[in-house]
Amino acid sequence: MSLAGRLRAGLRKTAERLAAGLAAVTGGGREVGGAGGDARATLATLAEVLIEADVGVTEAERIVARVRDVREPATDLMEVVKREMLGVLDRPPVSAAPAAPPRVVLVVGVNGTGKTTTVGKLARRWRLAGETPLICAADTFRAAAVPQLDAWAVRAGVDVVKGGARADPAAVVFDAVQAGRARGCSPVVVDTAGRLHTRGDLMAELGKIRRVAGRALPGAPHDVLLVLDATVGRNGLVQARHFLEAAGVTGVVLTKLDGTAKGGVAVAVAAELDLPIRYVGVGEGVDDLLPFSAADYVDALFTPADVRDRRS
């Protein structure tokens, strides 16, 4: 199956709910643009459909206002919504290119988002692309973290740098960056401990990790990826905002999209965090982490099920 096909399969639940909701909006020949009673009722229904998909109230209202302003026929409603979503999601990457290798990628997030598996999947993707990744096991607090990462490293076909139990995470990162330089490995992808934004000490630790990485290699980390669980929806945005300042996040990885009917949360994430989505997780397999394409994502949200199946 193609990357676009796998994305459509992962977003099936969201697409089916959106299709049903939009069918209710566009059915019956009701007016969409303008200020008539039918139009107001139709636009209110459209807002409900978008909010149920976790697009968020602010973005839903903005999209509805745009639909009202352009006064397009109901048959073109979906194209207007798609254009508005695409405008939000199509953001350029903001990561910095290293002056000299290795590229250091810090992966952060709260517990349970799929952070460690994301590290393994990223390493595999980059190795298959011809790079020589090195994983850094900087989660020294969770007992199962290193064995889990070891297993993913085997699946990805890459090496791991790790410290002893309760080792200083920043020291492990320093060693991993040095090892990457010595071995000619790049990128060095760092698995950090999951932490809640309410734990000030652990959030401060992220700052320390960034500073130490910069001492090991000026300019590091070059990329900081925040892993968010799509099944949590907009509730995860509250926690995410705290990572922006503490960790210097440059992009988002949205996981577990195959387990939710609220894939519209990608729009809320991009709009409210003002960050590009870099990768999306659409399954548990080692190859189920896909590079994010705004056009493919929006297409997957709105492509009818029978068309999806024929394309795949």
Side-chain angles (χ1 to χ4, degrees):
M1 187 182 295
S2 67
L3 292 180
R6 285 156 61 194
L7 180 61
R8 288 192 293 270
L11 287 171
R12 179 180 296 273
K13 291 181 181 179
T14 302
E16 289 174 349
R17 177 168 291 185
L18 273 174
L22 290 173
V25 174
T26 59
R30 292 180 297 173
E31 181 185 3
V32 174
D38 281 350
R40 286 195 297 270
T42 300
L43 292 172
T45 302
L46 173 61
E48 292 175 5
V49 169
L50 295 174
I51 291 170
E52 286 179 0
D54 240 12
V55 166
V57 174
T58 300
E59 281 305 300
E61 290 178 345
R62 186 189 64 79
I63 291 172
V64 166
R66 179 60 178 160
V67 170
R68 181 179 58 242
D69 291 343
V70 297
R71 296 173 179 261
E72 299 213 17
T75 54
D76 296 329
L77 169 66
M78 196 174 297
E79 291 305 314
V80 180
V81 177
K82 287 170 68 173
R83 286 201 303 267
E84 292 303 308
M85 286 189 174
L86 186 60
V88 173
L89 290 171
D90 194 10
R91 294 168 180 259
V94 294
S95 54
R103 185 171 90 255
V104 179
V105 180
L106 201 63
V107 181
V108 303
V110 301
N111 297 307
T113 58
K115 185 170 45 55
T116 297
T117 58
T118 294
V119 167
K121 292 177 182 180
L122 284 171
R124 175 177 169 83
R125 172 165 289 280
W126 288 329
R127 185 183 66 79
L128 293 177
E131 299 186 82
T132 311
L134 180 66
I135 291 177
C136 171
D139 182 354
T140 61
F141 294 98
R142 186 166 62 94
V146 173
Q148 182 185 6
L149 201 58
D150 278 335
W152 273 104
V154 170
R155 298 176 74 181
V158 303
D159 292 332
V160 181
V161 172
K162 48 195 172 187
R166 299 293 177 175
D168 180 4
V172 180
V173 172
F174 186 91
D175 290 344
V177 174
Q178 293 291 336
R181 297 180 70 177
R183 302 180 195 177
C185 294
S186 181
V188 174
V189 54
V190 181
D191 180 34
T192 62
R195 63 201 73 217
L196 292 174
H197 65 283
T198 53
R199 286 289 302 272
D201 55 336
L202 294 180
M203 296 301 286
E205 182 183 81
L206 286 178
K208 179 182 177 182
I209 289 174
R210 292 177 62 200
R211 292 191 300 272
V212 170
R215 286 201 292 270
L217 180 67
H222 308 98
D223 228 350
V224 181
L225 299 179
L226 173 64
V227 181
L228 295 178
D229 180 347
T231 63
V232 176
R234 289 179 45 80
N235 292 333
L237 291 178
V238 176
Q239 300 167 333
R241 292 189 188 97
H242 292 267
F243 281 88
L244 302 189
E245 181 178 352
V249 177
T250 58
V252 173
V253 179
L254 198 57
T255 62
K256 307 181 186 180
L257 279 166
D258 57 312
T260 181
K262 296 190 174 185
V265 70
V267 178
V269 167
E272 297 192 28
L273 299 184
D274 194 24
L275 285 171
I277 297 172
R278 301 284 293 282
Y279 296 91
V280 290
V282 294
E284 297 181 359
V286 68
D287 294 318
D288 287 335
L289 185 72
L290 309 180
F292 182 76
S293 162
D296 287 346
Y297 194 93
V298 172
D299 180 68
L301 286 177
F302 292 94
T303 304
D306 58 337
V307 176
R308 283 202 309 269
D309 293 338
R310 289 198 299 270
R311 287 184 184 177
S312 300

